[in-house]
Amino acid sequence: MINKKKIGILGGGQLARMSAFQAYKLGFDIAILEKEKNSPAGQLTHNEFVGWVNDDKLLKQFAEECDIITLENEFIDADRLKFIESLGKKVIPSSNTIRLIQDKFTQKKTLLKNNIPVPNFIEVKSINDYERISAKLGKRFIVKSRKMGYDGYGNADVKNVIEFKEAYKKLTNRHSNLYAEEFVKFSKELAVMVVRTKKEIKTYPVVETIQKNHICHTVIAPAQISKRKLKEAEEIGIECVKAVKGFGLFGIEMFIDAKGKILVNEMAPRPHNSGHYTIEGCVTSQFENHVRAVLNLPLGSTDLVKQYAVMINLLGKRNGEGTVQNYKESLGEPNLHLHIYGKAKSRIGRKMGHITIVGDNLNVILRKAKQMEKKIII
C-alpha cells in the first residue's frame, strides 16, 4: 500500500492556504507550521503545528510528520532549512537556493555574476556613506534592507545626505545590514512566474503589475508590451532561477526603464502575488504547479484560458473583523471570482483577498474589476 504524500509548508498565510487547496485537489495531505493557531492555511488541516523554526524540538516533530517540505516566504533563515535537510528531509527550494535569495544584496550579486541585468547597487557600510554611494549611483537612490523587506517595508527613497542619515537610522533600527540601489525611472513594472522540476522548466505569461502604497494592487495578464519584450522577460526569468540553482516555483519582478531596458528588481522562491490570476486565468494555477514541482511531478499547462486576465488585491478598508461586509454587492458581477484569505482581523492596507476576471476584451474586464474592487468592503 502506498501512503498518501504529506507536504509540509513553513508558514500559514494566504500563499500556503491557496497551495493547500491545490494539494488536497490532487489527493495529497498538508502540514502547516505557523507562529499562531488558526492561520489561514492552518484552518484547512488537522496537521497544524504552532510555533516557529527556531524551536529544534518542534521543527523535528514537524519534519517527521512530512514527506517533503516547502515554504511560503523567503524569510526563514537558510540555516534552519539546512537543519531540516540534516534530518534527511528534502526542502524545495533548497537551503542553498534560499541562502542566495533571502539576502537581497547577495541575490543581486548572484544575478549580476550570471550576466542578468539589474540596477546598479552598492553595499551600505556606515551612516557617513552618502558621498561614496552617490558617487556611484547619483544623488537620488533607494536604500534597502538586505533581509526581511517586502511590500515597501525596509526601503527608503533618498535624495540628499540628510535623508540618507534618517533612512540609515530608521532601517538599521529594524534591519542590521543595508545596501543601496540606483533609482530607476521605469515605464512599467513586470513580473513572471517560473516553475522548475528536474525535467521541466515553464514560464507563465509575463504580466504588468501596478502598485498601491508599495503593495502589488493590480495585475494585467499578459503585459501590454511587444512580443519581443515578452520573450526577453521570460528568458530573463528562467536565467534568474538557474542562477540560484532553483527548483520549485519562483516569482521574478522586473522594470522596463525609460530607455526600454528590462532590469530585474527582485525574485521570490514561492507563489507570488503577481501570479494569483492564474487560479482562474490559466489552465494550471501557480499553486497547483507549486505542488507538482515540490513533488517533482509533470507540470501542467501555463497557458491562459482566455486572452486576458485581471487580478486586483483586496486591501483592508477598515480595522475590524476580517469578513466581507456586503456579499450581495461583492458578488454582483457574475464573471467575478472572489477569494477571501480567512484572516481573523482586517486592517487598513492589509491583504485580505483578491478578485479575478478573465475575458477576451481587456478594457472591459479591467473596468469591471476596478468597479467591483471599490464595492467590496472588508
Side-chain angles (χ1 to χ4, degrees):
M1 181 179 173
I2 299 172
N3 290 328
K4 188 186 288 188
K5 289 275 189 187
K6 187 178 288 180
I7 304 166
I9 305 179
L10 300 171
Q14 65 263 25
L15 300 178
R17 179 184 176 95
M18 288 183 276
S19 294
F21 278 133
Q22 297 306 312
Y24 286 131
K25 188 184 87 169
L26 292 173
F28 303 116
D29 276 342
I30 288 289
I32 297 294
L33 177 65
E34 183 52 276
K35 295 168 191 171
E36 296 174 1
K37 191 173 174 59
N38 208 35
S39 65
Q43 295 165 16
L44 305 182
T45 178
H46 294 299
N47 307 303
E48 182 186 23
F49 291 75
V50 180
W52 201 231
V53 294
N54 51 354
D55 183 333
D56 280 6
K57 184 180 177 183
L58 179 66
L59 202 51
K60 281 181 182 177
Q61 289 173 346
F62 179 75
E64 285 169 5
E65 188 73 23
C66 304
D67 294 296
I68 195 161
I69 291 168
T70 188
L71 38 86
E72 78 153 1
N73 66 56
E74 60 274 28
F75 305 132
I76 297 162
D77 193 305
D79 288 335
R80 303 312 294 156
L81 300 180
K82 192 76 175 174
F83 175 75
I84 295 171
E85 290 167 338
S86 75
L87 301 173
K89 296 292 181 176
K90 197 162 193 175
V91 181
I92 302 288
S94 72
S95 62
N96 291 333
T97 293
I98 298 301
R99 203 179 297 281
L100 292 174
I101 287 177
Q102 66 184 188
D103 181 324
K104 289 178 183 174
F105 182 67
T106 301
Q107 181 189 129
K108 283 292 195 312
K109 285 198 296 182
T110 303
L111 297 179
L112 186 63
K113 188 171 76 174
N114 285 273
N115 300 312
I116 293 165
V118 295
N120 290 325
F121 63 97
I122 189 171
E123 188 176 7
V124 175
K125 295 180 179 178
S126 81
I127 197 168
N128 298 312
D129 249 0
Y130 179 79
E131 295 303 327
R132 180 181 71 88
I133 294 168
S134 62
K136 179 175 181 178
L137 303 182
K139 293 187 182 300
R140 184 179 184 182
F141 52 85
I142 308 294
V143 178
K144 296 186 172 184
S145 60
R146 288 175 59 163
K147 289 186 177 182
M148 302 300 286
Y150 67 98
D151 288 348
Y153 297 108
N155 293 359
D157 185 358
V158 163
K159 302 180 206 64
N160 55 54
V161 66
I162 294 169
E163 289 183 356
F164 174 77
K165 289 184 176 182
E166 288 172 352
Y168 185 91
K169 288 175 186 174
K170 181 181 176 183
L171 293 177
T172 51
N173 191 37
R174 292 186 63 192
H175 310 273
S176 53
N177 296 314
L178 309 176
Y179 76 106
E181 204 169 85
E182 71 172 307
F183 179 81
V184 177
K185 290 181 179 176
F186 59 84
S187 60
K188 282 185 190 291
E189 291 184 83
L190 307 177
V192 63
M193 301 303 304
V194 180
V195 61
R196 187 187 190 196
T197 66
K198 289 177 182 176
K199 293 183 177 179
E200 295 179 271
I201 188 162
K202 291 187 176 187
T203 60
Y204 280 89
V206 176
V207 302
E208 179 181 356
T209 62
I210 300 165
Q211 313 297 311
K212 183 178 181 180
N213 298 326
H214 303 289
I215 297 173
C216 176
H217 186 249
T218 303
V219 172
I220 296 170
Q224 300 302 285
I225 55 176
S226 71
K227 286 185 179 178
R228 185 174 61 84
K229 282 295 177 190
L230 289 171
K231 185 68 176 170
E232 183 184 344
E234 286 177 7
E235 290 170 353
I236 288 171
I238 288 171
E239 290 307 309
C240 286
V241 173
K242 289 180 176 178
V244 297
K245 299 177 175 61
F247 293 91
L249 181 70
F250 297 80
I252 295 95
E253 297 178 68
M254 310 173 192
F255 302 119
I256 296 184
D257 72 11
K259 295 178 182 176
K261 185 178 180 182
I262 295 177
L263 301 169
V264 174
N265 178 25
E266 61 186 46
M267 62 187 301
R270 52 168 171 81
H272 195 261
N273 205 161
S274 66
H276 290 354
Y277 76 94
T278 62
I279 297 171
E280 291 85 22
C282 294
V283 176
T284 313
S285 74
Q286 66 162 341
F287 300 102
E288 181 174 338
N289 266 336
H290 178 214
V291 171
R292 292 187 187 209
V294 165
L295 294 172
N296 201 37
L297 295 171
L299 298 176
S301 168
T302 57
D303 291 343
L304 286 164
V305 297
K306 295 276 191 179
Q307 276 189 266
Y308 305 102
V310 170
M311 188 283 299
I312 300 183
N313 266 326
L314 298 176
L315 306 179
K317 294 176 179 173
R318 53 191 240 303
N319 298 321
E321 295 301 310
T323 53
V324 175
Q325 300 298 293
N326 58 339
Y327 269 108
K328 285 187 178 179
E329 273 188 289
S330 300
L331 298 173
E333 165 54 52
N335 295 318
L336 177 133
H337 300 277
L338 175 66
H339 295 261
I340 301 299
Y341 298 152
K343 296 179 180 179
K345 295 292 179 185
S346 178
R347 63 174 180 269
I348 294 170
R350 188 182 194 193
K351 290 176 184 171
M352 300 303 296
H354 72 268
I355 56 173
T356 304
I357 302 180
V358 300
D360 293 323
N361 185 312
L362 178 57
N363 291 332
V364 169
I365 65 171
L366 181 57
R367 185 176 69 250
K368 283 183 178 179
K370 286 179 177 178
Q371 288 170 348
M372 293 308 299
E373 184 275 332
K374 287 176 183 174
K375 289 181 182 179
I376 299 169
I377 301 170
I378 188 168

